[in-house]
Amino acid sequence: MNMDKQIIDAASIKEAQLIKYLKSFDNVLVAFSGGVDSTYLLAVAQESLEGKCKAVFARGPMISSQEETEALALVQQCDFPVEVIDLDVLDLEGFRENPPDRCYFCKKKLFETFLDYGKRSGYSTVIDGTNASDTNDYRPGRIALQELGVISPLLEVGLTKAEIRILSKRRNLPTWNKPSMACLASRVPFGDTITAELLKQIAQAEAILQQKGYAECRVRVHKDIARIEIPIEDFSTFLQHRREVTDSMLTLGIRFITLDLMGLRSGSLNPIQEGTV
């Protein structure tokens, strides 16, 4: 048996376990973001529960208008039942002040809102797309989910990000190869105050890169310095049109623009863990 078949078989076994697990619920409300994990979870839940599921999508300053547009277009394309809820996390002091556990305050507010909607709408269980790969990262928001009793089926059956992509491709879900998403606040160093204007600036800066073809990118903002993260293999191409990018970003009020020589990496602003460089 070759390695690829072993990987696919292992993922298929976990998917069967996921379907069985989801069928144990009367109904579910799926926290949907339009990303790889929540889209896959929603598709499987809708199939497993024969329509006894609904998704809820939070619209607010923590996501870019482009991500919102893509998520809602996906809803139409896949005919997913989704409720859109407006949520302004900037009302939360624990979010605005941006402490290292900022994600906890955001997730708690977010899922309290989802749980409240679920109770009012007759959905007894709220589930989210946390997967087995997420346990390797710094994610204080998971504590809030545990406190609130939110269930993470993908994590429960041990599905990894790579396996979810494989299974999503097999289901012809358009998100199977979508780059990983993250809250816009993750571009701001802990301790720096988060404002609506700052989040909008970050979203616009990343949109400039995306329009140039960099689907995978981050713009981390350190006061008046923007630190661009793109895959290292894209550096040479990027330098050919750096002037166009910098000219556009300067109009956003960014004073200094840098290219991070360490390349694109998830959670580069997270607290440094022991044993890492």
Side-chain angles (χ1 to χ4, degrees), residues 100-155:
D101 58 348
R102 173 202 67 234
C103 189
Y104 169 84
F105 297 100
C106 181
K107 289 289 188 184
K108 187 171 183 179
K109 177 64 175 179
L110 182 67
F111 280 88
E112 282 177 342
T113 303
F114 290 169
L115 286 163
D116 180 62
Y117 173 81
K119 288 176 183 177
R120 290 186 282 109
S121 305
Y123 290 90
S124 54
T125 305
V126 175
I127 62 177
D128 90 307
T130 301
N131 65 68
S133 299
D134 292 331
T135 59
N136 300 322
D137 198 3
Y138 175 73
R139 293 180 182 266
R142 288 184 57 221
I143 298 173
L145 302 189
Q146 293 165 0
E147 291 176 352
L148 295 171
V150 174
I151 294 172
S152 303
L154 305 178
L155 177 60

Side-chain angles (χ1 to χ4, degrees), residues 197-238:
E197 294 74 23
L198 178 57
L199 296 180
K200 183 178 180 181
Q201 182 188 59
I202 292 167
Q204 291 174 329
E206 292 188 353
I208 290 168
L209 293 173
Q210 290 159 356
Q211 288 164 8
K212 289 295 181 183
Y214 301 97
E216 294 186 270
C217 65
R218 295 287 186 269
V219 176
R220 318 281 187 185
V221 178
H222 304 258
K223 305 298 184 184
D224 55 0
I225 299 174
R227 175 167 59 86
I228 296 172
E229 291 184 14
I230 56 174
I232 292 174
E233 57 268 25
D234 291 336
F235 281 9
S236 58
T237 303
F238 176 83

Side-chain angles (χ1 to χ4, degrees), residues 9-70:
D9 287 349
S12 298
I13 290 170
K14 292 178 185 179
E15 182 174 70
Q17 294 171 339
L18 174 65
I19 292 170
K20 182 178 179 180
Y21 184 46
L22 289 170
K23 286 183 175 180
S24 70
F25 299 105
D26 292 331
N27 57 50
V28 295
L29 185 67
V30 184
F32 174 72
S33 68
V36 179
D37 307 317
S38 65
T39 300
Y40 170 73
L41 179 60
L42 177 55
V44 178
Q46 193 171 25
E47 174 190 292
S48 303
L49 293 167
E50 299 178 346
K52 292 183 292 184
C53 79
K54 188 174 183 179
V56 62
F57 175 84
R59 177 169 52 200
M62 61 284 187
I63 66 167
S64 68
S65 58
Q66 180 175 331
E67 285 184 8
E68 178 187 337
T69 299
E70 290 177 359

Side-chain angles (χ1 to χ4, degrees), residues 66-82:
Q66 180 175 331
E67 285 184 8
E68 178 187 337
T69 299
E70 290 177 359
L72 298 183
L74 179 62
V75 166
Q76 296 292 325
Q77 181 181 348
C78 298
D79 195 25
F80 288 146
V82 177

